[in-house]
Amino acid sequence: MKEVVSSSAVFFSYALLAIFAQNAVFTRALGVSRMVQLVGDDRTSSALFGMMLCITQVLVAPVAFLAGWFIAPLDNRAQLRPLVYIASIAVVCLAEHLVLWLLRSLPRRAQLLRIVPLAALNSGVLGTVLVERTQSFTLGQSLGFGLGSGLGYVLAVLLVTEARHRLRSRAIPKAFRGLPITLVYIGVLALAIYGFTGHSVIL
């Protein structure tokens, strides 16, 4: 029982760390380009995208953990690591696509089938996996950090979406309207997070 409580505490602490203190968007700029596109894309639901990103992050964590363990004894593991992790993401993406293809009665199935590759091919997914493996996280830590990174991405999307109508103010100089002021806004949020965490990685 003590081990279960301890594992759960580690899982949730790493999830919270990834959501707030080590947010993939604000501290590492992972997935910013896709996020900016997502905010202005009325065809793609932010909630569905966030859900698929979270599911992908959690499913990739154990696959990448096993793949990393498998290549650990090899001399050229540093060169193989990115390729193996990209292959892990591809396997998970294909599995998700297959499950959605088989579940023909699932609501919003067509939307989900379009979102799966967008979520899986996000730099936030690969970046999170590389952080997990280079920091030598355990399986529980990797799962927690993967879930937290997905939720942190959703939080970033919600913050930028909420600010969108404010960023259209006429008080903003014409040259800064649109993408430039959005990137400035993301930069200010990133500085605010750095105010809490400092410059050192706290993992």
Side-chain angles (χ1 to χ4, degrees):
M1 184 65 179
K2 188 178 178 182
E3 289 182 8
V4 173
V5 172
S6 176
S7 299
S8 300
V10 167
F11 176 84
F12 286 113
S13 64
Y14 272 74
L16 287 172
L17 178 74
I19 293 171
F20 299 110
Q22 293 292 317
N23 187 292
V25 174
F26 297 132
T27 60
R28 294 187 175 88
L30 295 172
V32 170
S33 59
R34 180 62 225 167
M35 184 185 74
V36 171
Q37 291 174 352
L38 185 64
V39 168
D41 186 3
D42 295 329
R43 299 175 306 151
T44 306
S45 165
S46 298
L48 287 179
F49 185 89
M51 181 189 73
M52 287 311 304
L53 187 69
C54 288
I55 291 170
T56 302
Q57 296 266 42
V58 173
L59 293 178
V60 165
V63 176
F65 181 84
L66 291 173
W69 176 79
F70 182 74
I71 64 169
L74 301 177
D75 292 332
N76 58 344
R77 60 184 174 275
Q79 292 79 20
L80 288 174
R81 192 176 285 135
L83 297 174
V84 169
Y85 297 155
I86 289 171
S88 301
I89 293 168
V91 166
V92 169
C93 181
L94 287 172
E96 289 173 335
H97 207 278
L98 180 62
V99 169
L100 289 171
W101 185 74
L102 291 173
L103 297 174
R104 297 184 185 276
S105 60
L106 189 71
R108 300 190 180 184
R109 177 174 166 267
Q111 261 191 305
L112 290 169
L113 281 169
R114 190 173 69 83
I115 288 171
V116 163
L118 297 176
L121 298 175
N122 190 317
S123 63
V125 177
L126 180 59
T128 300
V129 171
L130 288 170
V131 169
E132 291 166 359
R133 301 313 329 130
T134 53
Q135 296 290 329
S136 301
F137 286 177
T138 64
L139 182 57
Q141 292 169 342
S142 298
L143 289 169
F145 195 79
L147 176 63
S149 294
L151 293 174
Y153 195 91
V154 174
L155 175 67
V157 169
L158 292 175
L159 285 171
V160 175
T161 303
E162 178 61 29
R164 211 170 104 189
H165 66 280
R166 295 175 187 270
L167 297 177
R168 290 177 178 165
S169 168
R170 294 189 178 205
I172 298 170
K174 204 169 186 180
F176 280 91
R177 289 178 197 166
L179 180 61
I181 195 64
T182 303
L183 294 175
V184 169
Y185 174 72
I186 292 170
V188 170
L189 288 175
L191 285 172
I193 297 235
Y194 260 76
F196 289 108
T197 62
H199 292 285
S200 60
V201 177
I202 59 175
L203 296 174

Coordinates of all heavy atoms in Angstrom, one line a residue, residues 1 19 24 42 46-47 58-59 72 80-81 103 112 118 126 132 142-143 145 147-149 160 165-166 174 202:
M1 N 0.8 -1.2 0.0 CA 0.0 0.0 0.0 C 0.9 1.3 0.0 O 0.6 2.2 -0.7 CB -0.9 0.0 1.2 CG -1.9 1.1 1.3 SD -3.1 1.0 -0.1 CE -4.1 2.4 0.3
I19 N 2.9 20.8 -15.8 CA 1.8 21.7 -16.1 C 2.2 23.2 -15.9 O 2.0 24.0 -16.7 CB 0.5 21.4 -15.3 CG1 -0.1 20.1 -15.8 CG2 -0.6 22.5 -15.6 CD1 -1.2 19.6 -14.9
A24 N 5.8 22.9 -21.3 CA 6.6 22.7 -22.5 C 6.5 23.9 -23.4 O 7.5 24.2 -24.1 CB 6.0 21.5 -23.2
D42 N -10.7 27.5 -36.7 CA -12.0 27.2 -36.3 C -12.5 25.8 -36.6 O -13.4 25.3 -36.0 CB -13.1 28.2 -36.9 CG -12.8 29.6 -36.4 OD1 -12.3 29.8 -35.2 OD2 -13.1 30.6 -37.2
S46 N -10.0 22.9 -29.9 CA -8.9 22.9 -28.9 C -9.0 21.8 -27.9 O -8.0 21.2 -27.5 CB -8.8 24.3 -28.2 OG -8.6 25.3 -29.2
A47 N -10.3 21.6 -27.5 CA -10.5 20.5 -26.4 C -10.1 19.1 -27.0 O -9.4 18.4 -26.3 CB -11.9 20.6 -26.0
V58 N 0.8 10.3 -22.9 CA 0.8 9.2 -21.9 C 1.2 7.9 -22.6 O 1.9 7.0 -22.0 CB -0.5 9.1 -21.2 CG1 -0.6 7.9 -20.3 CG2 -0.8 10.4 -20.4
L59 N 0.7 7.6 -23.8 CA 0.9 6.3 -24.5 C 2.4 6.2 -25.0 O 3.0 5.1 -25.0 CB 0.0 6.1 -25.6 CG -1.5 5.9 -25.3 CD1 -2.4 5.8 -26.5 CD2 -1.7 4.7 -24.4
A72 N 19.9 1.2 -24.6 CA 20.9 1.7 -23.6 C 22.3 1.0 -23.6 O 23.3 1.6 -23.5 CB 20.3 1.5 -22.2
L80 N 21.1 7.0 -32.0 CA 19.9 6.3 -32.3 C 18.7 6.8 -31.5 O 17.6 6.7 -32.0 CB 20.1 4.8 -31.9 CG 21.0 3.9 -32.8 CD1 21.2 2.6 -32.1 CD2 20.4 3.8 -34.1
R81 N 19.0 7.5 -30.4 CA 17.9 7.9 -29.5 C 16.8 8.7 -30.2 O 15.6 8.3 -30.1 CB 18.5 8.7 -28.4 CG 17.5 9.0 -27.2 CD 18.2 9.7 -26.1 NE 19.0 8.8 -25.3 CZ 20.3 9.1 -24.9 NH1 20.8 10.3 -25.2 NH2 21.0 8.3 -24.2
L103 N -13.5 2.0 -34.5 CA -14.7 2.5 -33.7 C -15.5 3.4 -34.6 O -15.5 4.6 -34.5 CB -14.2 3.2 -32.5 CG -13.4 2.4 -31.4 CD1 -12.9 3.3 -30.3 CD2 -14.3 1.3 -30.9
L112 N -11.5 13.4 -35.0 CA -10.4 12.8 -34.3 C -9.4 12.2 -35.2 O -8.2 12.3 -34.9 CB -11.0 11.7 -33.3 CG -11.7 12.3 -32.1 CD1 -12.4 11.2 -31.4 CD2 -10.8 13.0 -31.1
L118 N -1.9 15.4 -36.3 CA -1.5 16.8 -35.9 C -1.0 16.8 -34.4 O 0.0 17.5 -34.1 CB -2.7 17.8 -36.0 CG -3.3 18.0 -37.3 CD1 -4.5 18.9 -37.2 CD2 -2.2 18.6 -38.3
L126 N 7.7 15.0 -29.1 CA 9.1 14.5 -29.1 C 9.9 15.2 -28.1 O 10.8 14.6 -27.4 CB 9.7 14.8 -30.5 CG 11.1 14.4 -30.7 CD1 11.3 12.9 -30.5 CD2 11.6 14.7 -32.1
E132 N 12.2 13.4 -20.8 CA 12.0 12.3 -20.0 C 13.2 11.4 -20.0 O 13.7 10.9 -18.9 CB 10.8 11.5 -20.4 CG 9.5 12.3 -20.1 CD 8.3 11.6 -20.8 OE1 8.5 10.6 -21.5 OE2 7.2 12.2 -20.7
S142 N 7.8 9.4 -16.0 CA 7.6 9.6 -17.4 C 6.1 9.8 -17.7 O 5.7 10.7 -18.4 CB 8.2 8.5 -18.2 OG 9.6 8.5 -18.1
L143 N 5.3 8.9 -17.1 CA 3.8 8.9 -17.3 C 3.3 10.2 -16.8 O 2.5 10.9 -17.4 CB 3.2 7.7 -16.7 CG 3.4 6.4 -17.3 CD1 2.9 5.2 -16.5 CD2 2.7 6.3 -18.7
F145 N 4.9 13.1 -16.2 CA 5.4 14.2 -16.9 C 4.7 14.3 -18.3 O 4.5 15.4 -18.8 CB 6.9 14.1 -17.1 CG 7.6 15.4 -17.5 CD1 7.9 16.4 -16.6 CD2 8.0 15.6 -18.8 CE1 8.5 17.6 -17.0 CE2 8.6 16.7 -19.2 CZ 8.8 17.7 -18.3
L147 N 1.6 13.2 -19.1 CA 0.3 13.7 -18.9 C 0.3 15.2 -18.6 O -0.5 16.0 -19.1 CB -0.4 13.0 -17.7 CG -1.8 13.5 -17.4 CD1 -2.8 13.3 -18.5 CD2 -2.3 12.7 -16.1
G148 N 1.2 15.6 -17.7 CA 1.3 17.0 -17.3 C 1.7 17.9 -18.5 O 1.2 19.1 -18.6
S149 N 2.5 17.5 -19.3 CA 2.9 18.2 -20.5 C 1.8 18.4 -21.5 O 1.6 19.5 -22.0 CB 4.1 17.5 -21.3 OG 5.2 17.5 -20.5
V160 N -3.9 31.6 -24.5 CA -3.7 32.4 -25.7 C -5.1 32.6 -26.4 O -5.4 33.7 -26.9 CB -2.8 31.7 -26.7 CG1 -2.7 32.4 -28.0 CG2 -1.4 31.6 -26.1
H165 N -9.1 38.0 -28.2 CA -9.9 39.2 -28.5 C -9.3 40.5 -27.9 O -9.5 41.6 -28.4 CB -11.4 39.0 -28.0 CG -11.5 38.9 -26.5 ND1 -11.2 37.8 -25.8 CD2 -11.8 39.8 -25.5 CE1 -11.4 38.0 -24.5 NE2 -11.8 39.2 -24.3
R166 N -8.6 40.4 -26.8 CA -7.9 41.5 -26.2 C -6.7 42.0 -27.1 O -6.4 43.2 -27.1 CB -7.4 41.2 -24.8 CG -8.5 40.9 -23.8 CD -7.9 40.5 -22.5 NE -8.9 40.0 -21.6 CZ -9.6 40.8 -20.7 NH1 -9.3 42.1 -20.7 NH2 -10.5 40.4 -20.0
K174 N -0.3 49.0 -35.6 CA -0.7 48.1 -36.7 C 0.3 47.1 -37.1 O 0.0 45.9 -37.4 CB -1.0 49.0 -37.9 CG -2.0 48.4 -38.9 CD -2.4 49.5 -39.9 CE -3.5 48.9 -40.8 NZ -3.9 49.8 -41.8
I202 N 14.6 22.5 -12.9 CA 14.4 22.0 -11.5 C 14.1 20.5 -11.5 O 13.6 20.0 -10.5 CB 13.3 22.8 -10.8 CG1 12.0 22.7 -11.5 CG2 13.8 24.2 -10.6 CD1 10.9 23.4 -10.8

